[in-house]
Amino acid sequence: MTKHRIYTTSFASVYPLYVAKAEKKGRTKEEVDQIISWLTGYDRAGLQSRLDEQTDFETFFALAPKLNPLRASIKGVVCGVRVEEIAEPIMREIRYLDKLIDELARGKALDKILRKS
């Protein structure tokens, strides 16, 4: 079975799209970074290193310092697919991130996005 194209896509090529989507709705790059950090455990330097290295999505998630156990509470539809029903682990991680960025762009409070309350 061939890998989905997104797995070999550079995270750095999609990251500016996440930031642009958030900023277009009045949110900030810092909030995007906070979401990525919450989901993956990357600190600012670690995230910047992955961006500089043009790390692909598969490697980005494989090398994540600490995937947040609360990410399993992320529910909903992204690209017409329920994230909680995605069987392939890397694709599910990518869709979790997509869903969190969507929630940010829709104006949801950061505490709720980060499942703090």
Side-chain angles (χ1 to χ4, degrees):
M1 187 170 141
T2 60
K3 289 183 184 182
H4 193 283
R5 190 176 75 194
I6 191 70
Y7 295 179
T8 58
T9 300
S10 159
F11 181 78
S13 69
V14 178
Y15 175 77
L17 303 175
Y18 290 145
V19 172
K21 182 174 187 172
E23 288 177 341
K24 188 169 152 186
K25 298 293 185 166
R27 304 308 287 257
T28 66
K29 175 186 177 294
E30 289 73 26
E31 288 173 310
V32 171
D33 290 352
Q34 192 173 352
I35 286 170
I36 293 169
S37 177
W38 178 87
L39 182 65
T40 64
Y42 283 111
D43 60 14
R44 186 176 306 265
L47 175 59
Q48 190 59 54
S49 176
R50 295 288 162 245
L51 293 170
D52 292 344
E53 293 167 3
Q54 299 286 312
T55 304
D56 62 50
F57 267 95
E58 186 171 29
T59 305
F60 179 81
F61 282 105
L63 296 179
K66 185 176 189 311
L67 293 172
N68 193 316
L70 293 177
R71 73 192 189 288
S73 66
I74 300 169
K75 309 277 188 230
V77 177
V78 175
C79 299
V81 178
R82 296 204 70 73
V83 294
E84 62 270 25
E85 295 174 359
I86 298 171
E88 206 292 306
I90 299 295
M91 183 61 77
R92 188 172 49 248
E93 299 302 334
I94 293 167
R95 295 305 182 197
Y96 282 156
L97 180 54
D98 291 344
K99 181 66 177 166
L100 295 176
I101 298 299
D102 283 352
E103 290 177 359
L104 182 68
R106 288 193 182 119
K108 194 170 188 178
L110 201 54
D111 281 352
K112 294 229 184 253
I113 295 170
L114 303 181
R115 292 6 190 206
K116 289 184 180 177
S117 54

